Amino acid sequence: MNLDLLTAVTVFVLSVLVGFEVISKVPATLHTPLMSGANAIHGIVVIGATLIAAEAHSALGYLLAFVAVAFGAMNVVGGYVVTDRMLHMFRARPAAPAAPEPQKDES
């Protein structure tokens, strides 16, 4: 096995473990703000995975790069969806239309 591929796989596995440990310690009330702030980080992950895909020379390298791009893109899109939903919660609701006034009988 190529030493560069082994190093890349090791870094990937360690980053998954560290990421899981860090996120599991965050209280549930902070997950949404963290996700909106993490979009930029996941954008960097997508760029890095694309660069790895350009350097891949084996099927395993292409597979790992594809998985990294797919997961990074899902995190970016999911983060923006959750942030959009969160921001919709804080918007003012439109006022209900006024009820029509009863008509007076002119007889």
Side-chain angles (χ1 to χ4, degrees), residues 23 30-48 68-87:
I23 295 300
L30 294 178
H31 274 281
T32 302
L34 275 178
M35 187 173 287
S36 65
N39 285 334
I41 294 170
H42 291 293
I44 294 169
V45 169
V46 171
I47 292 171
V69 169
F71 284 159
M74 283 190 292
N75 277 327
V76 169
V77 172
Y80 281 113
V81 168
V82 169
T83 302
D84 189 52
R85 288 176 124 190
M86 181 181 67
L87 292 175

Side-chain angles (χ1 to χ4, degrees), residues 8 35 45 51 54 58 66 73 85 91 97 104 106-107:
M35 187 173 287
V45 169
L51 292 174
S58 66
F66 174 77
R85 288 176 124 190
R91 288 193 181 145
K104 295 182 181 179
E106 293 184 20
S107 26

Side-chain angles (χ1 to χ4, degrees), residues 1 17 25 48-49 75 88 95 102-103:
M1 184 179 256
L17 293 174
K25 305 255 187 281
N75 277 327
H88 278 292
Q103 295 180 355

